[in-house]
PDB file of all heavy atoms in Angstrom:
ATOM      1  N   ALA A  39       2.782  10.101  -1.984  1.00 99.00           N
ATOM      2  CA  ALA A  39       2.709  11.437  -1.383  1.00 99.00           C
ATOM      3  C   ALA A  39       3.672  12.367  -2.117  1.00 99.00           C
ATOM      4  O   ALA A  39       4.738  11.928  -2.567  1.00 99.00           O
ATOM      5  CB  ALA A  39       3.069  11.377   0.099  1.00 99.00           C
ATOM      6  N   GLN A  42       7.433  12.568  -1.429  1.00 99.00           N
ATOM      7  CA  GLN A  42       8.106  11.282  -1.592  1.00 99.00           C
ATOM      8  C   GLN A  42       8.298  10.861  -3.045  1.00 99.00           C
ATOM      9  O   GLN A  42       9.146  10.016  -3.329  1.00 99.00           O
ATOM     10  CB  GLN A  42       7.335  10.193  -0.828  1.00 99.00           C
ATOM     11  CG  GLN A  42       7.308  10.449   0.675  1.00 99.00           C
ATOM     12  CD  GLN A  42       6.535   9.378   1.433  1.00 99.00           C
ATOM     13  OE1 GLN A  42       5.328   9.496   1.610  1.00 99.00           O
ATOM     14  NE2 GLN A  42       7.217   8.349   1.883  1.00 99.00           N
ATOM     15  N   HIS A 145       0.185  16.110   3.216  1.00 99.00           N
ATOM     16  CA  HIS A 145       0.989  14.945   3.584  1.00 99.00           C
ATOM     17  C   HIS A 145       2.374  15.478   3.978  1.00 99.00           C
ATOM     18  O   HIS A 145       3.376  15.154   3.368  1.00 99.00           O
ATOM     19  CB  HIS A 145       1.054  13.952   2.424  1.00 99.00           C
ATOM     20  CG  HIS A 145       1.442  12.548   2.821  1.00 99.00           C
ATOM     21  ND1 HIS A 145       0.683  11.437   2.508  1.00 99.00           N
ATOM     22  CD2 HIS A 145       2.513  12.068   3.507  1.00 99.00           C
ATOM     23  CE1 HIS A 145       1.274  10.347   2.970  1.00 99.00           C
ATOM     24  NE2 HIS A 145       2.394  10.692   3.584  1.00 99.00           N
ATOM     25  N   TRP A 146       2.365  16.415   4.917  1.00 98.00           N
ATOM     26  CA  TRP A 146       3.518  16.846   5.691  1.00 98.00           C
ATOM     27  C   TRP A 146       4.383  17.953   5.088  1.00 98.00           C
ATOM     28  O   TRP A 146       5.304  18.432   5.751  1.00 98.00           O
ATOM     29  CB  TRP A 146       4.432  15.672   6.064  1.00 98.00           C
ATOM     30  CG  TRP A 146       3.729  14.464   6.607  1.00 98.00           C
ATOM     31  CD1 TRP A 146       2.387  14.323   6.876  1.00 98.00           C
ATOM     32  CD2 TRP A 146       4.324  13.207   6.961  1.00 98.00           C
ATOM     33  NE1 TRP A 146       2.114  13.071   7.369  1.00 98.00           N
ATOM     34  CE2 TRP A 146       3.287  12.359   7.427  1.00 98.00           C
ATOM     35  CE3 TRP A 146       5.631  12.730   6.931  1.00 98.00           C
ATOM     36  CZ2 TRP A 146       3.527  11.049   7.859  1.00 98.00           C
ATOM     37  CZ3 TRP A 146       5.863  11.431   7.355  1.00 98.00           C
ATOM     38  CH2 TRP A 146       4.828  10.603   7.810  1.00 98.00           C
ATOM     39  N   ASN A 189      -2.861  13.670   6.314  1.00 98.00           N
ATOM     40  CA  ASN A 189      -2.355  12.314   6.438  1.00 98.00           C
ATOM     41  C   ASN A 189      -1.586  12.167   7.742  1.00 98.00           C
ATOM     42  O   ASN A 189      -0.622  12.895   7.987  1.00 98.00           O
ATOM     43  CB  ASN A 189      -1.408  11.971   5.286  1.00 98.00           C
ATOM     44  CG  ASN A 189      -0.817  10.582   5.459  1.00 98.00           C
ATOM     45  OD1 ASN A 189      -1.523   9.588   5.339  1.00 98.00           O
ATOM     46  ND2 ASN A 189       0.471  10.499   5.800  1.00 98.00           N
ATOM     47  N   GLU A 190      -2.024  11.238   8.568  1.00 98.00           N
ATOM     48  CA  GLU A 190      -1.281  10.832   9.760  1.00 98.00           C
ATOM     49  C   GLU A 190      -0.834  11.970  10.671  1.00 98.00           C
ATOM     50  O   GLU A 190       0.368  12.174  10.857  1.00 98.00           O
ATOM     51  CB  GLU A 190      -0.044  10.012   9.369  1.00 98.00           C
ATOM     52  CG  GLU A 190      -0.363   8.731   8.665  1.00 98.00           C
ATOM     53  CD  GLU A 190       0.825   7.761   8.638  1.00 98.00           C
ATOM     54  OE1 GLU A 190       1.935   8.165   9.023  1.00 98.00           O
ATOM     55  OE2 GLU A 190       0.618   6.607   8.255  1.00 98.00           O
ATOM     56  N   LYS A 192      -0.664  11.883  13.753  1.00 98.00           N
ATOM     57  CA  LYS A 192       0.193  11.288  14.790  1.00 98.00           C
ATOM     58  C   LYS A 192       1.668  11.325  14.369  1.00 98.00           C
ATOM     59  O   LYS A 192       2.560  11.521  15.194  1.00 98.00           O
ATOM     60  CB  LYS A 192      -0.235   9.849  15.056  1.00 98.00           C
ATOM     61  CG  LYS A 192       0.777   9.024  15.850  1.00 98.00           C
ATOM     62  CD  LYS A 192       0.212   7.657  16.192  1.00 98.00           C
ATOM     63  CE  LYS A 192       1.108   6.496  15.802  1.00 98.00           C
ATOM     64  NZ  LYS A 192       2.433   6.514  16.402  1.00 98.00           N
ATOM     65  N   SER A 193       1.914  11.115  13.067  1.00 98.00           N
ATOM     66  CA  SER A 193       3.299  11.136  12.598  1.00 98.00           C
ATOM     67  C   SER A 193       3.838  12.566  12.515  1.00 98.00           C
ATOM     68  O   SER A 193       4.936  12.850  12.982  1.00 98.00           O
ATOM     69  CB  SER A 193       3.414  10.478  11.220  1.00 98.00           C
ATOM     70  OG  SER A 193       2.974   9.138  11.275  1.00 98.00           O
ATOM     71  N   ASN A 251      -3.518   7.230  11.443  1.00 98.00           N
ATOM     72  CA  ASN A 251      -2.747   5.993  11.545  1.00 98.00           C
ATOM     73  C   ASN A 251      -2.516   5.619  12.998  1.00 98.00           C
ATOM     74  O   ASN A 251      -2.489   6.471  13.878  1.00 98.00           O
ATOM     75  CB  ASN A 251      -1.379   6.146  10.875  1.00 98.00           C
ATOM     76  CG  ASN A 251      -0.454   7.056  11.681  1.00 98.00           C
ATOM     77  OD1 ASN A 251      -0.819   8.171  12.024  1.00 98.00           O
ATOM     78  ND2 ASN A 251       0.736   6.585  11.980  1.00 98.00           N
ATOM     79  N   ASP A 253      -0.522   2.031  15.165  1.00 98.00           N
ATOM     80  CA  ASP A 253      -0.326   0.598  15.341  1.00 98.00           C
ATOM     81  C   ASP A 253      -1.513   0.086  16.134  1.00 98.00           C
ATOM     82  O   ASP A 253      -2.163   0.844  16.862  1.00 98.00           O
ATOM     83  CB  ASP A 253       0.940   0.330  16.172  1.00 98.00           C
ATOM     84  CG  ASP A 253       2.220   0.588  15.385  1.00 98.00           C
ATOM     85  OD1 ASP A 253       2.159   0.641  14.144  1.00 98.00           O
ATOM     86  OD2 ASP A 253       3.274   0.742  16.031  1.00 98.00           O
ATOM     87  N   ASN A 333      -4.644   4.210   8.091  1.00 99.00           N
ATOM     88  CA  ASN A 333      -3.340   3.679   7.672  1.00 99.00           C
ATOM     89  C   ASN A 333      -2.871   2.684   8.726  1.00 99.00           C
ATOM     90  O   ASN A 333      -2.797   3.021   9.909  1.00 99.00           O
ATOM     91  CB  ASN A 333      -2.281   4.789   7.588  1.00 99.00           C
ATOM     92  CG  ASN A 333      -2.601   5.833   6.531  1.00 99.00           C
ATOM     93  OD1 ASN A 333      -3.605   5.752   5.832  1.00 99.00           O
ATOM     94  ND2 ASN A 333      -1.731   6.828   6.412  1.00 99.00           N
ATOM     95  N   TYR A 335       0.137  -0.415   9.562  1.00 98.00           N
ATOM     96  CA  TYR A 335       1.327  -1.178   9.185  1.00 98.00           C
ATOM     97  C   TYR A 335       1.684  -2.276  10.178  1.00 98.00           C
ATOM     98  O   TYR A 335       2.115  -3.344   9.792  1.00 98.00           O
ATOM     99  CB  TYR A 335       2.540  -0.235   9.042  1.00 98.00           C
ATOM    100  CG  TYR A 335       2.427   0.672   7.835  1.00 98.00           C
ATOM    101  CD1 TYR A 335       1.833   1.922   7.917  1.00 98.00           C
ATOM    102  CD2 TYR A 335       2.898   0.258   6.596  1.00 98.00           C
ATOM    103  CE1 TYR A 335       1.703   2.735   6.803  1.00 98.00           C
ATOM    104  CE2 TYR A 335       2.784   1.062   5.473  1.00 98.00           C
ATOM    105  CZ  TYR A 335       2.181   2.294   5.577  1.00 98.00           C
ATOM    106  OH  TYR A 335       2.059   3.082   4.468  1.00 98.00           O
ATOM    107  N   TRP A 373      10.879  -0.712  12.452  1.00 98.00           N
ATOM    108  CA  TRP A 373       9.616  -0.773  13.192  1.00 98.00           C
ATOM    109  C   TRP A 373       8.551  -1.681  12.589  1.00 98.00           C
ATOM    110  O   TRP A 373       7.584  -2.012  13.265  1.00 98.00           O
ATOM    111  CB  TRP A 373       9.044   0.638  13.347  1.00 98.00           C
ATOM    112  CG  TRP A 373       8.871   1.355  12.036  1.00 98.00           C
ATOM    113  CD1 TRP A 373       9.805   2.155  11.417  1.00 98.00           C
ATOM    114  CD2 TRP A 373       7.742   1.335  11.158  1.00 98.00           C
ATOM    115  NE1 TRP A 373       9.317   2.623  10.214  1.00 98.00           N
ATOM    116  CE2 TRP A 373       8.045   2.137  10.035  1.00 98.00           C
ATOM    117  CE3 TRP A 373       6.499   0.706  11.218  1.00 98.00           C
ATOM    118  CZ2 TRP A 373       7.167   2.329   8.979  1.00 98.00           C
ATOM    119  CZ3 TRP A 373       5.608   0.895  10.163  1.00 98.00           C
ATOM    120  CH2 TRP A 373       5.945   1.706   9.060  1.00 98.00           C
ATOM    121  N   GLU A 401      -3.793   3.352   3.655  1.00 99.00           N
ATOM    122  CA  GLU A 401      -2.426   2.854   3.480  1.00 99.00           C
ATOM    123  C   GLU A 401      -2.276   1.519   4.182  1.00 99.00           C
ATOM    124  O   GLU A 401      -2.809   1.324   5.280  1.00 99.00           O
ATOM    125  CB  GLU A 401      -1.364   3.795   4.088  1.00 99.00           C
ATOM    126  CG  GLU A 401      -1.072   5.018   3.287  1.00 99.00           C
ATOM    127  CD  GLU A 401       0.015   5.895   3.931  1.00 99.00           C
ATOM    128  OE1 GLU A 401       0.882   5.368   4.657  1.00 99.00           O
ATOM    129  OE2 GLU A 401      -0.015   7.117   3.695  1.00 99.00           O
ATOM    130  N   TRP A 443       0.083   0.905  -0.069  1.00 99.00           N
ATOM    131  CA  TRP A 443       1.236   1.802  -0.024  1.00 99.00           C
ATOM    132  C   TRP A 443       2.446   0.971  -0.395  1.00 99.00           C
ATOM    133  O   TRP A 443       2.771   0.087   0.350  1.00 99.00           O
ATOM    134  CB  TRP A 443       1.414   2.421   1.366  1.00 99.00           C
ATOM    135  CG  TRP A 443       2.592   3.345   1.365  1.00 99.00           C
ATOM    136  CD1 TRP A 443       3.907   3.026   1.579  1.00 99.00           C
ATOM    137  CD2 TRP A 443       2.564   4.753   1.070  1.00 99.00           C
ATOM    138  NE1 TRP A 443       4.699   4.134   1.443  1.00 99.00           N
ATOM    139  CE2 TRP A 443       3.904   5.198   1.124  1.00 99.00           C
ATOM    140  CE3 TRP A 443       1.544   5.673   0.746  1.00 99.00           C
ATOM    141  CZ2 TRP A 443       4.249   6.539   0.884  1.00 99.00           C
ATOM    142  CZ3 TRP A 443       1.895   6.986   0.509  1.00 99.00           C
ATOM    143  CH2 TRP A 443       3.233   7.401   0.585  1.00 99.00           C
ATOM    144  N   ASN A 448       9.729   4.855  -3.105  1.00 99.00           N
ATOM    145  CA  ASN A 448       9.824   6.319  -3.042  1.00 99.00           C
ATOM    146  C   ASN A 448      10.669   6.743  -1.861  1.00 99.00           C
ATOM    147  O   ASN A 448      11.126   5.911  -1.082  1.00 99.00           O
ATOM    148  CB  ASN A 448       8.422   6.931  -2.998  1.00 99.00           C
ATOM    149  CG  ASN A 448       7.621   6.410  -1.817  1.00 99.00           C
ATOM    150  OD1 ASN A 448       8.024   6.570  -0.671  1.00 99.00           O
ATOM    151  ND2 ASN A 448       6.486   5.764  -2.096  1.00 99.00           N
ATOM    152  N   LEU A 449      10.879   8.046  -1.747  1.00 99.00           N
ATOM    153  CA  LEU A 449      11.725   8.596  -0.699  1.00 99.00           C
ATOM    154  C   LEU A 449      11.057   8.321   0.655  1.00 99.00           C
ATOM    155  O   LEU A 449      10.078   8.998   1.010  1.00 99.00           O
ATOM    156  CB  LEU A 449      11.855  10.106  -0.967  1.00 99.00           C
ATOM    157  CG  LEU A 449      12.935  10.945  -0.297  1.00 99.00           C
ATOM    158  CD1 LEU A 449      12.535  11.431   1.084  1.00 99.00           C
ATOM    159  CD2 LEU A 449      14.282  10.246  -0.238  1.00 99.00           C
ATOM    160  N   GLU A 450      11.566   7.326   1.357  1.00 98.00           N
ATOM    161  CA  GLU A 450      10.945   6.931   2.621  1.00 98.00           C
ATOM    162  C   GLU A 450      11.483   7.822   3.758  1.00 98.00           C
ATOM    163  O   GLU A 450      12.119   7.357   4.694  1.00 98.00           O
ATOM    164  CB  GLU A 450      11.177   5.438   2.879  1.00 98.00           C
ATOM    165  CG  GLU A 450      10.630   4.866   4.181  1.00 98.00           C
ATOM    166  CD  GLU A 450       9.142   5.106   4.458  1.00 98.00           C
ATOM    167  OE1 GLU A 450       8.369   5.355   3.519  1.00 98.00           O
ATOM    168  OE2 GLU A 450       8.775   5.077   5.645  1.00 98.00           O
ATOM    169  N   TRP A 451      11.222   9.138   3.631  1.00 98.00           N
ATOM    170  CA  TRP A 451      11.594  10.106   4.661  1.00 98.00           C
ATOM    171  C   TRP A 451      13.048   9.923   5.081  1.00 98.00           C
ATOM    172  O   TRP A 451      13.918   9.888   4.221  1.00 98.00           O
ATOM    173  CB  TRP A 451      10.588  10.040   5.824  1.00 98.00           C
ATOM    174  CG  TRP A 451       9.163  10.147   5.316  1.00 98.00           C
ATOM    175  CD1 TRP A 451       8.251   9.139   5.231  1.00 98.00           C
ATOM    176  CD2 TRP A 451       8.509  11.301   4.737  1.00 98.00           C
ATOM    177  NE1 TRP A 451       7.076   9.593   4.660  1.00 98.00           N
ATOM    178  CE2 TRP A 451       7.204  10.908   4.355  1.00 98.00           C
ATOM    179  CE3 TRP A 451       8.891  12.641   4.518  1.00 98.00           C
ATOM    180  CZ2 TRP A 451       6.289  11.788   3.767  1.00 98.00           C
ATOM    181  CZ3 TRP A 451       7.974  13.514   3.938  1.00 98.00           C
ATOM    182  CH2 TRP A 451       6.705  13.087   3.576  1.00 98.00           C
ATOM    183  N   GLU A 457      14.806   1.916   2.302  1.00 98.00           N
ATOM    184  CA  GLU A 457      13.599   1.188   2.678  1.00 98.00           C
ATOM    185  C   GLU A 457      12.569   1.428   1.587  1.00 98.00           C
ATOM    186  O   GLU A 457      12.157   2.557   1.356  1.00 98.00           O
ATOM    187  CB  GLU A 457      13.098   1.722   4.022  1.00 98.00           C
ATOM    188  CG  GLU A 457      12.068   0.843   4.646  1.00 98.00           C
ATOM    189  CD  GLU A 457      11.604   1.343   6.025  1.00 98.00           C
ATOM    190  OE1 GLU A 457      12.267   2.198   6.631  1.00 98.00           O
ATOM    191  OE2 GLU A 457      10.558   0.851   6.469  1.00 98.00           O
ATOM    192  N   PHE A 459       8.890   0.611  -0.344  1.00 99.00           N
ATOM    193  CA  PHE A 459       7.523   0.128  -0.159  1.00 99.00           C
ATOM    194  C   PHE A 459       6.802  -0.136  -1.473  1.00 99.00           C
ATOM    195  O   PHE A 459       5.629  -0.509  -1.467  1.00 99.00           O
ATOM    196  CB  PHE A 459       6.711   1.160   0.641  1.00 99.00           C
ATOM    197  CG  PHE A 459       6.884   1.088   2.139  1.00 99.00           C
ATOM    198  CD1 PHE A 459       7.876   1.815   2.777  1.00 99.00           C
ATOM    199  CD2 PHE A 459       6.046   0.300   2.916  1.00 99.00           C
ATOM    200  CE1 PHE A 459       8.025   1.773   4.164  1.00 99.00           C
ATOM    201  CE2 PHE A 459       6.185   0.246   4.303  1.00 99.00           C
ATOM    202  CZ  PHE A 459       7.180   0.983   4.927  1.00 99.00           C
TER     203      PHE A 459
HETATM  204  C1  PNW B   1       3.389   6.424   6.706  1.00 79.19           C
HETATM  205  N1  PNW B   1       6.046   4.242  12.189  1.00 79.19           N
HETATM  206  O1  PNW B   1       4.343   6.833   7.619  1.00 79.19           O
HETATM  207  C2  PNW B   1       3.265   7.581   5.754  1.00 79.19           C
HETATM  208  O2  PNW B   1       1.950   8.016   5.527  1.00 79.19           O
HETATM  209  C3  PNW B   1       3.994   7.390   4.472  1.00 79.19           C
HETATM  210  O3  PNW B   1       4.384   8.646   3.992  1.00 79.19           O
HETATM  211  C4  PNW B   1       5.153   6.442   4.671  1.00 79.19           C
HETATM  212  O4  PNW B   1       5.966   6.340   3.540  1.00 79.19           O
HETATM  213  C5  PNW B   1       4.576   5.103   5.040  1.00 79.19           C
HETATM  214  O5  PNW B   1       3.727   5.199   6.171  1.00 79.19           O
HETATM  215  C6  PNW B   1       5.626   4.036   5.335  1.00 79.19           C
HETATM  216  O6  PNW B   1       6.401   4.404   6.436  1.00 79.19           O
HETATM  217  C7  PNW B   1       4.724   6.107   8.717  1.00 79.19           C
HETATM  218  O7  PNW B   1       7.227   4.458  12.587  1.00 79.19           O
HETATM  219  C8  PNW B   1       5.999   6.340   9.202  1.00 79.19           C
HETATM  220  O8  PNW B   1       5.303   3.472  12.819  1.00 79.19           O
HETATM  221  C9  PNW B   1       6.437   5.719  10.343  1.00 79.19           C
HETATM  222  C10 PNW B   1       5.589   4.863  11.023  1.00 79.19           C
HETATM  223  C11 PNW B   1       4.300   4.621  10.550  1.00 79.19           C
HETATM  224  C12 PNW B   1       3.881   5.252   9.390  1.00 79.19           C
END
Side-chain angles (χ1 to χ4, degrees):
Q42 297 180 271
H145 200 126
W146 313 356
N189 177 69
E190 298 196 351
K192 166 174 128 59
S193 301
N251 71 308
D253 287 342
N333 296 359
Y335 290 91
W373 55 270
E401 283 181 28
W443 181 274
N448 58 59
L449 196 275
E450 178 54 22
W451 309 106
E457 193 178 345
F459 277 90

